[in-house]
Amino acid sequence: SEFHAAMGLSIFPYIDEIIKARKQVHNMYEKCLDKNLISRPTLPDQTDYNFAYYPILFKSETQLTEALTSLRQHDIYPRRYFYPSLDTLPYISSYSNPISQSISKRVLCLPNFHDLTFKDVKKISSIINNL
């Protein structure tokens, strides 16, 4: 829409600064999160990533639900990503993708924005690590 275009144009002069700050948040999550509890999607080395999302993948949907509940109890609101799996929508009945279904039940996007503090990243990570 025209509104969204105007918003995009208004931040465009600051985009490098915003991406740099998001990368710092991303790197702090990488340092703080217990890799035995979660995994992360990987990107090819030549990818120029904008750090728009920080998705983590749990071993089970039960673990994801526990994390979601704990985070919400601390007024932290991550979001489910590509949930439910698109192949489960009622108007897509001829395809089944068990990999997509499995991942969509276990992936969670943690808060990630350019002025998220390292203190908040550590708190979010600690809540997840203590599950």
Side-chain angles (χ1 to χ4, degrees), residues 1-3 8 11 21 32 36 48 51 65 69 85 92 100 113-114 117 126:
S1 71
E2 290 177 3
F3 174 77
I11 67 160
C32 294
N36 294 315
D48 191 14
F51 303 94
T65 303
T69 300
S85 178
I92 303 177
S100 172
F113 47 95
H114 72 281
T117 67
S126 176

Side-chain angles (χ1 to χ4, degrees), residues 63-93:
Q63 286 181 325
L64 178 142
T65 303
E66 290 172 11
L68 198 53
T69 300
S70 290
L71 290 166
R72 287 179 177 166
Q73 288 171 347
H74 290 87
D75 294 324
I76 300 165
Y77 300 96
R79 65 186 183 109
R80 309 265 328 241
Y81 196 61
F82 290 118
Y83 180 79
S85 178
L86 297 178
D87 66 310
T88 64
L89 297 174
Y91 51 85
I92 303 177
S93 59

Side-chain angles (χ1 to χ4, degrees), residues 91-111:
Y91 51 85
I92 303 177
S93 59
S94 61
Y95 298 99
S96 176
N97 190 329
I99 295 171
S100 172
Q101 290 175 24
S102 172
I103 291 174
S104 73
K105 292 176 184 176
R106 299 179 295 120
V107 68
L108 187 68
C109 280
L110 298 182

Side-chain angles (χ1 to χ4, degrees), residues 41-70:
T42 57
L43 298 171
D45 289 335
Q46 67 273 17
T47 301
D48 191 14
Y49 186 48
N50 66 5
F51 303 94
Y53 302 102
Y54 192 86
I56 59 174
L57 190 62
F58 290 91
K59 294 177 182 168
S60 70
E61 187 173 18
T62 301
Q63 286 181 325
L64 178 142
T65 303
E66 290 172 11
L68 198 53
T69 300
S70 290

